[in-house]
Amino acid sequence: EDQVTQSPEALRLQEGESSSLNCSYTVSGLRGLFWYRQDPGKGPEFLFTLYSAGEEKEKERLKATLTKKESFLHITAPKPEDSATYLCAVQLLYNFNKFYFGSGTKLNVKP
Amino acid sequence: SAVISQKPSRDICQRGTSLTIQCQVDSQVTMMFWYRQQPGQSLTLIATANQGSEATYESGFVIDKFPISRPNLTFSTLTVSNMSPEDSSIYLCSAAGETEAFFGQGTRLTVV
């Protein structure tokens, strides 16, 4: 069964305290893994797409990496404005219309 | 990147009525989807909106309850029919190309 699991559910960090969010997946075939940021009351904001194991992408304080079983979203020296829920989703190789979302990690960065 | 305009942004509706949500994309996209997001929960795919043909619904969602139209490559509508309080949720439109998938700002629906 295709499944996406994110951990931790919630994460509290002090400003400047780096950490990583995890997205583990079990799918029949992976076409792409997507990371999103979602602020309260808003739609998800696209961050990255990763396609193959070993791939990395960066944007400001965020870096996403991908292995054959999981993806990490590394947050370096976070700021309070990085507080949001981070969602990952996998797109299936054999059915591009299928996107499975994880339950998200709610990040709170304290000043 | 694609910009997705979704309206209304929020509505409060009486039970038994229907609401149609509109989604406009600023560029032609291959795929359009409709999701539901319960408070504090992740996204659940309702259906894939197919241009010029019937939408493809996920398990647990039916056309009579959630009729969807997609008359062209940039526009789609989702209707929530015969609403009950259990339909209170955020409804999100999504558009995807080859390498990216974008979301509208969502429609917050409250059924009273």
Side-chain angles (χ1 to χ4, degrees):
Chain A
E1 181 183 341
D2 299 314
Q3 196 169 0
V4 179
T5 304
Q6 287 188 250
S7 62
E9 289 186 12
L11 181 62
R12 297 182 68 176
L13 299 173
Q14 287 296 125
E15 183 172 2
E17 179 186 3
S18 302
S19 188
S20 296
L21 313 182
N22 178 265
C23 172
S24 62
Y25 59 91
T26 305
V27 296
S28 51
L30 177 73
R31 181 175 189 268
L33 188 142
F34 295 73
W35 279 100
Y36 292 89
R37 169 193 172 126
Q38 187 173 28
D39 294 298
K42 296 189 175 182
E45 174 190 346
F46 172 78
L47 293 174
F48 306 109
T49 309
L50 302 166
Y51 288 102
S52 56
E55 187 176 2
E56 298 183 352
K57 288 192 177 175
E58 291 189 60
K59 181 179 180 179
E60 296 180 355
R61 294 177 293 281
L62 301 176
K63 183 170 81 171
T65 61
L66 181 66
T67 73
K68 290 185 177 181
K69 295 182 179 180
E70 58 192 348
S71 177
F72 292 94
L73 184 65
H74 307 278
I75 302 177
T76 302
K79 298 181 178 181
E81 52 262 42
D82 294 322
S83 298
T85 295
Y86 290 85
L87 297 165
C88 73
V90 298
Q91 183 184 28
L92 297 187
L93 180 62
Y94 304 110
N95 187 346
F96 286 10
N97 288 353
K98 290 291 188 182
F99 286 79
Y100 288 94
F101 278 83
S103 55
T105 293
K106 187 172 183 179
L107 175 66
N108 187 5
V109 182
K110 294 289 190 181
Chain B
S1 63
V3 176
I4 301 175
S5 301
Q6 191 174 332
K7 59 181 181 182
S9 58
R10 59 176 63 226
D11 207 341
I12 300 174
C13 301
Q14 296 290 325
R15 66 178 68 199
T17 63
S18 297
L19 175 72
T20 295
I21 303 168
Q22 298 181 0
C23 177
Q24 178 73 54
V25 187
D26 70 345
S27 58
Q28 292 188 351
V29 291
T30 307
M31 296 175 283
M32 292 183 74
F33 307 95
W34 288 97
Y35 288 85
R36 183 169 71 183
Q37 187 175 30
Q38 307 280 16
Q41 303 294 316
S42 191
L43 283 70
T44 301
L45 180 64
I46 297 172
T48 302
N50 300 310
Q51 186 206 354
S53 65
E54 191 172 290
T56 304
Y57 291 84
E58 296 300 304
S59 176
F61 298 96
V62 295
I63 187 172
D64 290 345
K65 177 67 175 177
F66 297 102
I68 289 170
S69 77
R70 188 181 174 190
N72 57 53
L73 287 173
T74 63
F75 184 78
S76 179
T77 66
L78 167 74
T79 299
V80 186
S81 303
N82 189 25
M83 289 183 285
S84 66
E86 292 71 37
D87 295 320
S88 297
S89 189
I90 298 172
Y91 292 85
L92 291 156
C93 171
S94 175
E98 287 294 317
T99 60
E100 297 166 311
F102 300 94
F103 286 84
Q105 289 301 298
T107 297
R108 183 180 293 272
L109 171 63
T110 303
V111 183
V112 297

